Amino acid sequence: MYSTKNNGQFRFTYFTDKYLETFDFYQSKLTFQLAHSWDRSEDDKGALFKAGPGLIEILHRPNDPGKHIAGLDYRTPQGVFLGIQVGNIDDLFKNYKSAGVPFKQDLTDQPWGHRSFSLLEPNGLVLFFFQEMF
């Protein structure tokens, strides 16, 4: 019988041609905690950053198409965004504003009961930070 119990950890994983810039953005600008990183070669490096109870995994896109794994998608993420729930949205917004983070939407109260803002990371991926107000 198949069990739907999931004891693993959620990861949002994507490839980037801007690996160093993206790594620095998550670590220095957003101050996300680095869980693990590796640099085995130019075609095999990545990093895991803690984001709530999950991880954001960035992988350097291999220059050699022969290093691509058939079951993976090497395109830049499009049409998705990451929702990250936080405890004190106002302080986080002020910290990111003073760090010069590029915002897509400033801090706002949403009609569905969230106080939120969104920003763009170096690959154009939208990170939507929110705090529930109910």
Side-chain angles (χ1 to χ4, degrees), residues 52-67:
L55 297 166
I56 297 173
E57 182 173 18
I58 59 168
L59 301 170
H60 181 266
R61 187 183 338 273
N63 294 321
D64 178 359
K67 304 274 184 178

Side-chain angles (χ1 to χ4, degrees), residues 85-90 92 130-132:
Q85 186 174 0
V86 298
N88 193 331
I89 194 82
D90 293 282
L92 188 62
F130 69 95
Q131 181 176 0
E132 291 181 343

Side-chain angles (χ1 to χ4, degrees), residues 77-91:
Q78 294 181 34
V80 297
F81 67 91
L82 291 179
I84 303 169
Q85 186 174 0
V86 298
N88 193 331
I89 194 82
D90 293 282
D91 287 347

Side-chain angles (χ1 to χ4, degrees), residues 4-23:
T4 58
K5 187 175 181 180
N6 181 351
N7 293 323
Q9 190 169 40
F10 178 80
R11 290 185 188 190
F12 181 82
T13 305
Y14 65 98
F15 289 95
T16 177
D17 291 323
K18 302 174 181 178
Y19 179 77
L20 293 177
E21 181 182 351
T22 304
F23 185 99

Side-chain angles (χ1 to χ4, degrees), residues 55-113:
L55 297 166
I56 297 173
E57 182 173 18
I58 59 168
L59 301 170
H60 181 266
R61 187 183 338 273
N63 294 321
D64 178 359
K67 304 274 184 178
H68 289 193
I69 297 169
L72 300 180
D73 188 342
Y74 289 81
R75 296 174 296 172
T76 301
Q78 294 181 34
V80 297
F81 67 91
L82 291 179
I84 303 169
Q85 186 174 0
V86 298
N88 193 331
I89 194 82
D90 293 282
D91 287 347
L92 188 62
F93 178 77
K94 288 175 194 168
N95 290 343
Y96 288 170
K97 196 77 156 170
S98 66
V101 171
F103 287 89
K104 182 166 177 64
Q105 182 182 45
D106 280 338
L107 190 60
T108 187
D109 292 327
Q110 301 292 357
W112 54 85

Side-chain angles (χ1 to χ4, degrees), residues 10-14 26 30 32 49-51 54-58 77 79-85 116-121 124-130:
F10 178 80
R11 290 185 188 190
F12 181 82
T13 305
Y14 65 98
Y26 282 104
L30 300 185
F32 279 21
F49 290 95
K50 292 184 179 184
L55 297 166
I56 297 173
E57 182 173 18
I58 59 168
V80 297
F81 67 91
L82 291 179
I84 303 169
Q85 186 174 0
S116 65
F117 64 86
S118 60
L119 54 88
L120 294 169
E121 57 92 86
L125 182 64
V126 174
L127 304 179
F128 183 83
F129 292 86
F130 69 95

